[in-house]
Amino acid sequence: MTAHPSDSYSTHDHPGTSTADSPPPTRGPLHGLRVLDISTVYAAPITAMLLGDFGADVIKIEHPSGDPARSHGARKDGHGLWWKVIARNKKCITLDLSTDEGQQILRDLVIDADVLVENFRPGVLEKWGLGPDRLHAVNPGLVLLRVTGFGQSGPYAERRAFGTLAEAMSGFAHQTGTEDGPPTLPPFGLADGVAGLAGAFGVVTALLHRNGPAGRGQVIDMSLLEPLLGILGPGPTAYDQLGTIAGRNGNRSPNNAPRNTYLTKDGRWVAVSASATSVAARVMRLVGRPDIVEQSWFDSAGERSRNGELLDDAVAKWIADRPLREVTAEFERVGAALAPIYDVAQLMSDPQVLARDCITTVDDEDLGPIKMQNVMLRMLGTPGAIKFPGRRLGQDNQEFYRDTLGIDQERMTELTEKGVL
């Protein structure tokens, strides 16, 4: 890995993780890596965001008209709030990759890059002379993450796809919702988020391979479908071996009970999970039904699930007679698992969330102090950090192109007037 001039900015330790024995703040375990992010919207940009959280020098390369994610979701004073999060820790430059000059500039940038993240439809980069063969010709060590709906091969490779389609096809929607209701999609980009995490894992794995005896980069061909499918449990195996197809169970689980949401006396919803038999026994004794614990079937999680309505009714009645504070205290007293169901305002005032700075405050040059989710992994030896939120369109053009490629002001003006930058 080669350090780059723009890596000289200072970083801060992960808020909330310092102790007397903690090492001094670091620049992040990925310091010295240069990542070119030419992707748009969510999954691949999340990968680049995660790499930036842990110190990589991420260069966000947008079309001069701007990434569509800038205008997605809630806005304040003309600034997209989701952009402030997903583009954090990324320097922002503009470049029209559909032009000959833009393509050459990207090839020049790739020479000193470690990673390139993209999510164009299969064949687009190849049409522009930016396919893996051309990029590896100028930098054999490049790791190229390619994120598409269905992957670079197969009969669906050319189809347009978003995370919603992966949530539908993976089996997630089929299993989500009430038993007598329709399949249910998540209200946020679940497939994109899972793919973003998988992409970061893939990039780091490929870099470890490159930095070993092989010494070469490679292409990571990742679809939105496969990472989500990979975390949905043993459904394909169960179908292969038993012929079973999982259906919808509402908030209940087909694998254990009690597991559901319940309403307290003061109108607050809570979630209970009792995967372990010992925890399930504590819950049933707490709610006044030790007789259920004595049943011959109780020690089997599957049998508890099949008797889920019986267990649910007992838990629901007990919780309905008590306010949230008492319910929480009693579950904690007996060592059973329960949590309140929060909206975002309640989440942001929770003492555990506050103590660990899960939602942190970052200074933004446009909006002042803003809150956002903190770095999700707490590496006490080499912590990550949020250095700055998402920046303005083309904000770093002058500095980056001048310092990295040596483009003078006259040429910069010419390229800007032609729409290349």
Side-chain angles (χ1 to χ4, degrees), residues 52-286:
D53 283 351
F54 287 94
D57 177 29
V58 181
I59 312 302
K60 175 67 178 179
I61 301 175
E62 302 173 71
H63 188 276
S65 63
D67 188 318
R70 288 183 176 273
S71 60
H72 282 200
R75 298 165 67 83
K76 181 180 179 182
D77 298 337
H79 300 284
L81 300 183
W82 185 211
W83 176 260
K84 292 295 183 183
V85 178
I86 202 172
R88 69 192 192 191
N89 294 334
K90 300 179 184 181
K91 300 291 184 68
C92 289
I93 66 174
T94 56
L95 187 63
D96 185 351
L97 297 176
S98 68
T99 65
D100 292 342
E101 290 165 306
Q103 293 155 15
Q104 185 55 52
I105 288 173
L106 185 68
R107 285 190 286 267
D108 291 341
L109 292 175
V110 161
I111 292 173
D112 291 323
D114 297 286
V115 179
L116 186 140
V117 177
E118 67 98 2
N119 63 351
F120 289 95
R121 292 175 69 192
V124 171
L125 287 191
E126 284 81 356
K127 180 181 68 174
W128 290 340
L130 300 172
D133 56 339
R134 294 290 300 274
L135 298 183
H136 281 142
V138 299
N139 181 353
L142 182 72
V143 170
L144 174 56
L145 173 65
R146 314 194 75 177
V147 183
T148 55
F150 300 107
Q152 299 289 322
S153 61
Y156 297 168
E158 298 293 331
R159 288 188 182 181
R160 294 188 182 276
F162 296 97
T164 298
L165 277 64
E167 290 147 11
M169 289 183 60
S170 65
F172 173 85
H174 176 76
Q175 298 180 63
T176 306
T178 58
E179 185 175 2
D180 57 351
T184 303
L185 295 166
F188 64 98
L190 175 65
D192 289 281
V194 173
L197 286 162
F201 170 75
V203 166
V204 173
T205 302
L207 289 170
L208 285 172
H209 172 79
R210 184 197 70 175
N211 294 340
R216 295 186 63 83
Q218 63 180 292
V219 174
I220 305 169
D221 173 9
M222 189 176 75
S223 74
L224 294 178
L225 176 63
E226 290 160 89
L228 183 57
L229 174 61
I231 67 164
L232 288 181
T237 307
Y239 177 70
D240 172 64
Q241 295 296 306
L242 302 173
T244 57
I245 298 176
R248 292 183 284 284
N249 298 278
N251 290 320
R252 289 180 178 169
S253 168
N255 302 312
N256 63 80
R259 191 265 198 180
N260 212 326
T261 59
Y262 308 91
L263 188 63
T264 67
K265 184 177 182 179
D266 51 350
R268 292 292 302 277
W269 287 98
V270 297
V272 171
S273 179
S275 296
T277 298
S278 59
V279 175
R282 291 170 197 158
V283 172
M284 300 318 298
R285 291 188 180 109
L286 172 65

Side-chain angles (χ1 to χ4, degrees), residues 49 79 148 232 321 330 351 355 360-361 374 419:
M49 179 196 80
H79 300 284
T148 55
L232 288 181
D321 287 340
E330 286 298 293
T360 196
T361 302
N374 211 333

Side-chain angles (χ1 to χ4, degrees), residues 258-260 262-263 272 283-284 287 289 309-321 331 338:
R259 191 265 198 180
N260 212 326
Y262 308 91
L263 188 63
V272 171
V283 172
M284 300 318 298
V287 304
R289 293 300 306 271
E309 187 172 353
L310 173 65
L311 279 69
D312 259 352
D313 286 347
V315 175
K317 288 175 183 176
W318 187 89
I319 288 177
D321 287 340
F331 266 72
L338 173 143

Side-chain angles (χ1 to χ4, degrees), residues 7 9 27 30-35 48 51-58 89 387:
D7 289 329
Y9 47 69
R27 294 174 294 185
L30 301 182
H31 174 73
L33 283 174
R34 171 156 290 170
V35 177
L51 298 174
D53 283 351
F54 287 94
D57 177 29
V58 181
N89 294 334
K387 297 175 281 292

